[in-house]
Amino acid sequence: MLGFHRGRRLRSNPQQRSMVRETAPLLREDLIMPFFVVAGNPALRREIASMPGQYQLGLDALTEQVAAAVDQGLVSCILFGIPDVKDEQASGAWSEDGIVQKAVRRLKRRWPELQIITDVCLCEYMSHGHCGILTPEGRILNDETLPLLAKTAVSHAQAGADMVAPSDMMDGRVAAIRTALDEAGLTQTPVMSYAVKYASAFYGPFRDAAQNTPACGDRKSYQMDPGNAREALLEARADLEEGADLLIVKPGGPYSDILRTVRNHVSVPLCAYQVSGEYAMIRAAGINGWIDEKAVMLESLLGLKRAGADMIITYFTQTLLRDGLVR
Ligand code: PBG
């Protein structure tokens, strides 16, 4: 007679445990490494205070960092730019010799097989730090912002970006970007949309890194309310109808319920973004010796895969590659 469930039977040795493990181990193809590239001094290498181990990099320093990462097995990266001048039209975002455009051309020339995704947003390039055009009364103009986003995406793709990732959360931007890419003959450039992006305090350290803190107000009129789950499906479906090829859920860990919900309802590839605040917390506790950092890092990423992520944007990518923690 059974008596009770003996769950321990299949946990008795590593071979058995790995045979019945439901989630596959991380692969390097699953990981996307963010890099912050800064205009001006090409040799700049400045550690981000709230993200130990992550750097703002000038063009030459970025090239060195990527060289090391590629040697360690890097497959994909996502680029964020910090321009030398900011204005009210975010011209640094879409100009042909903007910092991201330069970085893409440089990296693609040297590593044609490295997959380069670009973050498409205006906040780093706007003097006020918002993701769209701002009126004097402090309103963000949605439709007027779309052409700038489209122009930015096209210029990234023309520079050689393999994929563009709009993170601004303006309504209609995926359609605007898709149309502009197609009109420019870039029909093969996929759009990886930050479809489900919450107005999250977990982005705090990123704002030190990308210097894009809004000068006034916050991003709650365009990023999603953290209390909303059903709305995630609305946003995901809207972006798919507009032509998105892949979707991002962001942040990752605190929103893994959302990831699972979206996974259950859409068939396109899904990406989780383990954001700066998640990285900072794990690093801080690790540096203090309060947690086993390596184990927690791996468990946090496994959690995202288990919740339904096909791929993960994580600042731990290079550490994982360097330390041989992924295949
Ligand atoms: C730009 C953007 C942000 C992040 C990615 N793209 C910041 C924001 O929305 O304020 C956050 C990433 C992170 O925290 O790691 N809009």
Side-chain angles (χ1 to χ4, degrees):
M1 129 93 186
L2 257 180
F4 43 80
H5 170 65
R6 289 203 184 269
R8 294 184 55 200
R9 251 185 223 131
L10 294 179
R11 292 175 206 144
S12 38
N13 60 61
Q15 294 73 19
Q16 236 171 33
R17 288 193 292 271
S18 67
M19 178 184 259
V20 301
R21 188 165 300 130
E22 298 170 35
T23 308
L26 287 171
L27 302 174
R28 59 201 181 90
E29 290 85 347
D30 301 333
L31 301 172
I32 301 166
M33 177 68 195
F35 290 113
F36 298 101
V37 57
V38 189
N41 176 10
L44 176 88
R45 183 179 164 83
R46 187 194 296 137
E47 191 166 30
I48 300 155
S50 51
M51 300 178 74
Q54 302 300 313
Y55 297 83
Q56 294 181 328
L57 301 164
L59 259 187
D60 292 347
L62 171 74
T63 311
E64 273 172 44
Q65 181 94 24
V66 171
V70 167
D71 278 347
Q72 291 156 354
L74 183 72
V75 177
S76 302
C77 63
I78 181 164
L79 297 183
F80 296 93
I82 301 149
D84 40 9
V85 276
K86 303 187 186 226
D87 57 32
E88 309 265 295
Q89 291 299 313
S91 50
W94 42 266
S95 94
E96 207 187 309
D97 54 355
I99 185 62
V100 166
Q101 290 81 348
K102 278 189 191 161
V104 172
R105 281 194 293 268
R106 161 95 69 109
L107 298 180
K108 278 311 256 192
R109 200 176 316 129
R110 181 140 166 214
W111 297 284
E113 70 294 345
L114 174 67
Q115 169 153 252
I116 302 183
I117 305 166
T118 54
D119 186 81
V120 174
C121 199
L122 306 179
C123 55
E124 294 97 338
Y125 307 89
M126 286 286 199
S127 32
H128 46 68
H130 276 291
C131 304
I133 296 172
L134 190 69
T135 67
E137 306 76 51
R139 272 190 315 122
I140 312 290
L141 297 177
N142 191 89
D143 299 16
E144 290 78 352
T145 300
L146 302 181
L148 296 186
L149 293 166
K151 217 153 65 152
T152 303
V154 169
S155 76
H156 288 175
Q158 280 169 341
D162 295 285
M163 224 180 252
V164 291
S167 67
D168 52 282
M169 288 299 276
M170 295 300 119
D171 294 324
R173 93 273 208 208
V174 172
I177 288 171
R178 183 71 270 159
T179 305
L181 287 171
D182 290 352
E183 280 170 6
L186 297 157
T187 56
Q188 294 305 305
T189 305
V191 176
M192 181 192 245
S193 165
Y194 288 79
V196 183
K197 177 171 175 181
Y198 287 90
S200 171
F202 283 92
Y203 308 151
F206 179 95
R207 293 183 186 167
D208 289 344
Q211 293 161 356
N212 67 336
T213 308
C216 58
D218 52 42
R219 302 202 201 289
K220 291 179 184 165
S221 78
Y222 40 106
Q223 299 180 350
M224 288 173 60
D225 189 291
N228 291 358
R230 292 191 309 266
E231 191 191 0
L233 288 179
L234 276 179
E235 288 287 352
R237 288 183 179 131
D239 282 15
L240 288 177
E241 274 163 30
E242 290 180 31
D245 300 280
L246 311 91
L247 303 180
I248 303 177
V249 173
K250 174 182 175 198
Y255 294 82
S256 53
D257 59 322
I258 304 298
L259 200 55
R260 169 48 57 194
T261 304
V262 176
R263 172 71 300 159
N264 288 348
H265 288 87
V266 305
S267 304
V268 291
L270 269 190
C271 176
Y273 196 145
Q274 183 180 55
V275 301
S276 56
E278 301 177 76
Y279 173 84
M281 291 191 304
I282 295 173
R283 285 256 49 206
I287 289 165
N288 277 292
W290 297 336
I291 55 170
D292 176 344
E293 185 178 348
K294 192 170 94 175
V296 170
M297 167 177 80
L298 287 169
E299 192 175 326
S300 68
L301 297 167
L302 183 72
L304 294 173
K305 283 214 87 180
R306 191 183 63 234
D310 299 296
M311 65 207 89
I312 303 172
I313 301 173
T314 172
Y315 300 95
F316 287 120
T317 299
Q318 204 167 349
T319 307
L320 291 162
L321 295 169
R322 186 196 62 206
D323 295 350
L325 299 171
V326 285
R327 296 188 210 168

